[in-house]
Amino acid sequence: TQTPLYPFGYGLSYTTFDYKNAKLSKDKIASNESVTLSFDIANTGKMDGDEVAQIYIKNPNDPAGPLKAMKAFKRVNVKAGSAQPVSFQSFNDNTQTMEVRPGKYQILYGGSSDDKTLKKIDLVIE
């Protein structure tokens, strides 16, 4: 219930990053379909750097569920003053690796698990 001193993904860097142009391949899917999230990571600083992009899923209508669940992460090298496209694909129900429940979800993405820094995009699973 307390705020962590250092959230997952916290780290020092000699540069700064900005996440932009996020889009889902579909904003509404069936439970047996997959979806791809893509976005650009822009290095807004003066030095080259690595960013670890993180993806979380949150079901705001499931009070018994987790606050958010990490689903993927990827280390990306971004040259100073440029942007790097990144994409992630969800688990497919056909792989039987997770149970997909219908509902409205929030896909959270960013360089840290801190809710203040994560950006959001909505996904509906029918």
Side-chain angles (χ1 to χ4, degrees):
T1 59
Q2 297 179 355
T3 303
L5 185 58
Y6 299 104
F8 184 74
Y10 174 85
L12 299 176
S13 179
Y14 291 107
T15 192
T16 55
F17 299 97
D18 186 25
Y19 288 71
K20 52 188 175 181
N21 303 323
K23 62 183 175 188
L24 292 171
S25 56
K26 297 179 183 179
D27 58 358
K28 189 181 289 189
I29 62 170
S31 63
N32 64 345
E33 292 182 296
S34 63
V35 64
T36 300
L37 169 66
S38 58
F39 51 82
D40 296 328
I41 299 176
N43 183 334
T44 56
K46 296 181 180 180
M47 309 234 2
D48 297 351
D50 285 351
E51 173 73 331
V52 178
Q54 302 170 33
I55 306 298
Y56 297 87
I57 294 180
K58 178 178 184 176
N59 183 347
N61 299 316
D62 183 7
L67 297 176
K68 61 184 172 256
M70 180 180 239
K71 294 299 176 182
F73 64 91
K74 185 182 287 186
R75 180 176 293 275
V76 181
N77 181 271
V78 187
K79 302 289 183 194
S82 67
Q84 181 71 33
V86 179
S87 65
F88 291 89
Q89 189 167 5
S90 70
F91 289 104
N92 189 308
D93 191 44
N94 294 329
T95 65
Q96 300 179 7
T97 56
M98 63 181 271
E99 178 184 358
V100 179
R101 295 181 186 163
K104 184 175 181 181
Y105 290 81
Q106 290 179 340
I107 309 298
L108 311 168
Y109 60 97
S112 167
S113 67
D114 186 356
D115 286 336
K116 295 175 195 164
T117 63
L118 289 171
K119 296 189 176 189
K120 299 174 181 137
I121 193 165
D122 292 330
L123 172 68
V124 175
I125 300 177
E126 298 179 326

